[in-house]
Amino acid sequence: MDKDAVRSILEHVAAFLALKGEENAARIRAYQDAARAELAATGRSTTLDELREQIPPGLGEMLRIPGLGVAKVRQIHEQLHIESLAELEDAATDGRLAALPRFGPKAAENVRKGIAALREGSAFRLLHHALDEAQSIARGLAALEGVRRVDIAGSVRRRREIIRDLDFVVVHGPGSREALIKRLDDAPGVIELAGKQGGLTLRFASGTVVDVFLAPENDSGLTLLRATGSVEHVAQLEARARAGGVALEPGSGGSGWPDEESVYRAVGLPWIAPELREGMGEIEAAAAGRLPRLLEQRDLKGFLHCHTNYSDGTTTVAEWADACRAAGYDWMGITDHSESSAYAGGLRADHVERQHAEIDAANRRYGDFRVLKGVEADILADGSLDYGPAVLDRFDFVIASIHTRFGMTEAEMTARVLRALDDPHMTILGHPTGRLLLSRDPYAIDLEQVLERAAQRGVAVEVNADPHRLDLDWRIVRRARELGEGGGVPISLGADAHSVAGMTNVALGVAIARKGWLGPDDVLNTRDAEGFLAHARRRRPVYA
């Protein structure tokens, strides 16, 4: 590893410690020395990996903005409770950032410009950032005269976890194409318009670059299908069309192609959901009538994986209950970090009774909603679960996750997780690969062995919907669905929310579940509370 890379890692170690509130220079140097030794020995710093686990990922992103050092990022987080670039951009625009001490209007504007520069300089963005940008741009395009409809297309519509390009189909009326191109060139925020095969490229002052495909209404379905992709899916579809003597060209097909259904129908297929369009067997499944009925958010009855102010969350038990009930859920499961997660203010064993009393009080308040007593227990280095059986017996269910010792070999990490899966208290394996998208690779682990053991033991595997994780990867989700004799490995959808604002993570989790071909019967959250508890109790000796 070159000197610049080592220096960058050591600077990140110091910055993350400072974000946690560490001010002791000797302790910071000790952490840096440990990271330096790891880099020399293995080329990877598990010290940095573990520090990334201990702060909201959005704070690390904020450190990349020129002029925002550790002190200011901490101030923003503590005073405005902001944890993402999107929230920071809103605060820089609406005056909240300028109102903070040591900021002001000029500093807020510089932050906004810094975010724009980051966006322009980065080839890739996380799905939730891309969705926010795409929805904002779509609203602006839809307001232009002559525009009848704007559809978000490309990899955003397919809900890929990492996004490079933003693509849109702009549907216009007859004869308005040239006038519309002029309006696009003059649209607010557009600083450059260039022609591109089949469409236009717009560059915005914010740094965002988008591709726009113009289509009349009678051919908008064909344009949207091609703009959505993937390349493999479209190529396979067009090959099927050619084999059947169907010309997929604008203006053909009788009255054209006014919607995607008309295109698929012409080649003898039902409509295929965008999330499945990856050229990975979906066309063959559609032709054979084997497409699954995909999960929808309205299928979910239970909200899982959330943290309260008993660990590193900002929301009380009562506030969580109120919010989940208001959102239409029938039940929820509280899952604070366990005691060994001291960095996250893990729930002390002697505080469990107090938290459970609060949960009981919330349940007495409602007759139509239920709060379950869960915990996110650390999987310790030897594969045992934090707290031990006596304390774990007091919870309704247990999510078990790895938060430390990421540098184990594949054999060591696999053995660690396999032992944890054998523990009868374990209900769900949380964020199974430990990845943080664009900032931390998955730890080394043999997922095939893990999934096989989970299927044998009846342990669910989580699709963690934190937008920085989206872990389990959708490709592996599909593999999990295929394993086992009873319909695959059960899947849990966990928001990993630390405040009520994190409830929006669920939509991203649903998207990943859909990309993994999951239907309602594959996901534990679609069961009622008793059905979920029956799954959790099935392995516990106390219920035998």
Side-chain angles (χ1 to χ4, degrees):
M1 182 173 290
D2 62 46
K3 291 181 179 179
D4 288 341
V6 171
R7 182 169 58 251
S8 175
I9 288 171
L10 298 181
E11 288 173 351
H12 275 83
V13 167
F16 288 171
L17 284 167
L19 285 175
K20 288 179 58 189
E22 179 60 68
E23 297 178 355
N24 186 303
R27 280 180 57 81
I28 292 174
R29 282 196 300 274
Y31 272 92
Q32 289 180 313
D33 288 345
R36 188 181 286 109
E38 291 167 343
L39 291 170
T42 68
R44 175 173 178 168
S45 171
T46 59
T47 297
L48 181 58
D49 286 342
E50 291 176 17
L51 286 171
R52 287 191 193 281
E53 192 72 27
Q54 298 170 23
I55 65 167
L59 302 191
E61 293 177 334
M62 291 180 204
L63 289 175
R64 298 164 57 206
I65 299 172
L68 278 191
V70 170
K72 286 191 173 182
V73 171
R74 277 187 66 187
Q75 181 186 7
I76 290 166
H77 179 53
E78 291 170 0
Q79 297 185 23
L80 297 181
H81 308 294
I82 284 173
E83 295 189 350
S84 72
L85 287 182
E87 292 172 327
L88 180 60
E89 189 170 30
D90 288 342
T93 303
D94 64 22
R96 284 177 292 147
L97 190 62
L100 289 181
R102 299 190 301 141
F103 277 88
K106 184 175 180 180
E109 177 62 15
N110 286 339
V111 167
R112 193 189 63 76
K113 290 179 179 178
I115 294 172
L118 280 181
R119 187 179 290 133
E120 187 170 14
S122 177
F124 297 96
R125 46 173 75 76
L126 299 181
L127 174 58
H128 70 304
H129 291 327
L131 271 169
D132 286 342
E133 287 183 70
Q135 288 163 357
S136 176
I137 291 168
R139 287 192 294 271
L141 294 176
L144 296 177
E145 183 183 347
V147 173
R148 294 190 172 180
R149 189 178 75 249
V150 176
D151 293 313
I152 297 171
S155 52
V156 173
R157 187 171 180 231
R158 299 201 317 277
R159 298 301 194 256
R160 299 281 296 204
E161 65 273 40
I162 301 294
I163 305 296
R164 185 181 65 182
D165 301 316
L166 298 182
D167 302 285
F168 301 85
V169 172
V170 174
V171 181
H172 59 83
S176 62
R177 180 184 176 92
E178 295 306 317
L180 179 56
I181 291 174
K182 179 67 169 64
R183 292 189 191 100
L184 287 169
D185 197 12
D186 296 335
V190 174
I191 59 174
E192 183 181 349
L193 181 149
K196 184 176 180 179
Q197 185 176 5
L200 305 166
T201 298
L202 306 182
R203 182 181 298 275
F204 288 82
S206 66
T208 298
V209 178
V210 308
D211 292 328
V212 174
F213 300 89
L214 304 181
E217 201 136 26
N218 65 318
D219 277 322
S220 59
L222 180 59
T223 303
L224 178 59
L225 195 153
R226 284 178 168 155
T228 296
S230 66
V231 172
E232 295 82 0
H233 177 84
V234 174
Q236 291 173 18
L237 193 71
E238 290 180 336
R240 182 180 175 91
R242 287 193 298 273
V246 177
L248 294 183
E249 299 295 337
S252 62
S255 59
W257 313 99
D259 51 43
E260 290 183 320
E261 287 84 351
S262 62
V263 182
Y264 285 107
R265 190 165 51 246
V267 296
L269 297 177
W271 181 79
I272 298 175
E275 296 93 333
L276 302 186
R277 300 180 196 174
E278 299 292 347
M280 297 174 64
E282 68 276 7
I283 288 179
E284 293 84 352
R290 292 187 286 104
L291 284 179
R293 199 282 260 182
L294 296 180
L295 179 74
E296 298 182 31
Q297 193 160 344
R298 64 187 178 189
D299 295 320
L300 303 178
K301 296 179 180 179
F303 181 86
L304 284 170
H305 200 153
C306 59
H307 302 272
T308 74
N309 56 355
Y310 275 92
S311 63
D312 60 345
T314 60
T315 304
T316 67
V317 169
E319 288 168 343
W320 268 123
D322 290 341
C324 287
R325 181 174 179 269
Y329 293 101
D330 296 337
W331 58 273
M332 68 169 299
I334 297 287
T335 48
D336 277 304
H337 287 287
S338 62
E339 193 166 29
S340 70
S341 292
Y343 62 83
L347 178 65
R348 286 168 39 186
D350 58 352
H351 287 175
V352 171
E353 184 176 353
R354 181 154 58 91
Q355 186 193 62
H356 286 185
E358 289 189 29
I359 292 174
D360 290 338
N363 283 326
R364 285 193 297 271
R365 208 167 73 240
Y366 294 125
D368 60 348
F369 183 80
R370 188 167 177 184
V371 184
L372 305 183
K373 300 166 183 173
V375 67
E376 184 179 13
D378 271 25
I379 299 175
L380 305 179
D382 64 356
S384 62
L385 302 190
D386 194 18
Y387 287 137
V391 176
L392 292 176
D393 277 341
R394 298 160 68 183
F395 293 96
D396 294 323
F397 71 101
V398 175
I399 297 175
S401 308
I402 287 175
H403 296 106
T404 59
R405 300 286 300 274
F406 297 99
M408 287 181 162
T409 66
E410 179 178 303
E412 292 170 337
M413 187 66 81
T414 303
R416 176 183 182 182
V417 174
L418 292 178
R419 180 182 175 193
L421 287 166
D422 287 339
D423 190 311
H425 294 91
M426 187 173 177
T427 313
I428 298 163
L429 174 62
H431 43 76
T433 72
R435 75 179 186 182
L436 289 174
L437 296 166
L438 298 182
S439 64
R440 185 175 74 201
D441 291 336
Y443 42 68
I445 190 166
D446 186 336
L447 280 175
E448 190 72 12
Q449 283 194 59
V450 168
L451 294 176
E452 289 279 6
R453 182 70 60 85
Q456 293 166 7
R457 298 292 185 262
V459 175
V461 174
E462 182 181 57
V463 169
N464 187 288
D466 181 309
H468 298 87
R469 293 186 185 274
L470 299 183
D471 178 16
L472 200 58
D473 185 284
W474 58 269
R475 302 159 189 82
I476 310 302
V477 171
R478 185 171 173 186
R479 175 60 180 151
R481 181 177 181 265
E482 297 167 351
L483 284 171
E485 298 178 0
V489 180
I491 297 293
S492 161
L493 200 158
D496 205 348
H498 293 73
S499 69
V500 170
M503 294 179 73
T504 59
N505 293 354
V506 170
L508 298 175
V510 170
I512 297 303
R514 289 170 63 88
K515 283 195 77 64
W517 293 52
L518 298 188
D521 292 343
D522 301 313
V523 179
L524 287 181
N525 310 57
T526 64
R527 302 182 185 185
D528 61 21
E530 282 303 321
F532 174 78
L533 288 173
H535 170 82
R537 292 168 177 161
R538 188 172 55 185
R539 301 178 62 228
R540 292 198 185 188
V542 69
Y543 296 110

